[in-house]
Amino acid sequence: MPLPFLTADRAFEVAGETSDDVALPFDDHDQWRRPYRPGPWRVGAAALLLLMASFVLLAAMIISFAGAMPGAGICLGLGVVFVACALRLLRVGAWVSRHGLRRVGFFSTTTVPWARATDVRTVQQPVRWLGLPRTVQGQALVLVHQNGERLQLLTDHNADFLSRVEAFDRAADTVEAWGDEYRPV
């Protein structure tokens, strides 16, 4: 079973090339791709959700064998919600293609065509720590719209890049390379 999110960082390692040699390592630029791997905090949270889902689904099976179908239905529904939340949590992040840039959040998705973007850059600013209300000084990759509005794409303190500065720098450089390639000048 192919797992395309595992090939994001390995695409740079092909034949000893560095990220400076290969800016856009993928063959099909029409397909939406996340140019980095999900971070350990995000994968760990999704794994915990899936673990809880397995216990809830096991409880649903035991309750259904006991004959209490309404309780089994509630447990089954809760297990399905846990699985759906875990899958959505793994999809959160910045995705790029030839068509534009997409910021996928847990509850919403924003897509900006490259033609409406004026700049993609890394800035120093207060950022949220793991998406919580607490802010710390850090770096953020932002996309600037034609109307001047800024969309924060990645931060070095989110669930993908906390304590992984090199991974943030590589992901920011890759997204900026996509922007340089497809954003009209």
Side-chain angles (χ1 to χ4, degrees):
M1 179 175 149
L3 300 173
F5 59 85
L6 292 178
T7 61
D9 287 342
R10 288 189 193 140
F12 291 116
E13 300 167 3
V14 174
E17 296 175 332
T18 64
S19 61
D20 296 333
D21 300 332
V22 181
L24 308 177
F26 302 107
D27 292 333
D28 185 11
H29 291 201
D30 289 328
Q31 187 177 9
W32 289 99
R33 297 186 183 276
R34 180 179 15 214
Y36 57 91
R37 294 180 188 170
W41 288 90
R42 185 174 311 285
V43 172
L48 284 176
L49 278 172
L50 291 173
L51 181 66
M52 290 186 342
S54 68
F55 286 124
V56 170
L57 291 173
L58 180 65
M61 183 182 70
I62 292 170
I63 292 171
S64 69
F65 286 153
M69 290 303 165
I74 290 172
C75 284
L76 179 67
L78 187 60
V80 169
V81 167
F82 281 163
V83 171
C85 286
L87 292 176
R88 185 63 184 183
L89 187 63
L90 289 173
R91 300 243 341 135
V92 169
W95 296 72
V96 292
S97 81
R98 178 183 318 226
H99 307 293
L101 197 134
R102 181 174 286 171
R103 182 184 168 272
V104 178
F106 192 77
F107 294 111
S108 66
T109 299
T110 305
T111 303
V112 178
W114 290 119
R116 290 185 36 214
T118 58
D119 195 16
V120 179
R121 66 176 178 258
T122 305
V123 295
Q124 291 282 333
Q125 67 179 30
V127 295
R128 297 174 118 192
W129 184 76
L130 287 177
L132 298 172
R134 178 178 177 224
T135 60
V136 295
Q137 189 64 27
Q139 293 183 354
L141 180 70
V142 296
L143 176 127
V144 181
H145 289 264
Q146 287 177 342
N147 60 5
E149 180 183 341
R150 291 172 35 160
L151 176 66
Q152 184 173 316
L153 304 171
L154 307 171
T155 69
D156 62 346
H157 285 82
N158 70 4
D160 290 322
F161 301 111
L162 188 65
S163 300
R164 296 177 50 212
V165 177
E166 300 85 18
F168 173 78
D169 291 339
R170 187 171 50 241
D173 290 344
T174 304
V175 173
E176 288 172 359
W178 279 80
D180 292 342
E181 177 76 21
Y182 292 112
R183 197 178 64 243
V185 177

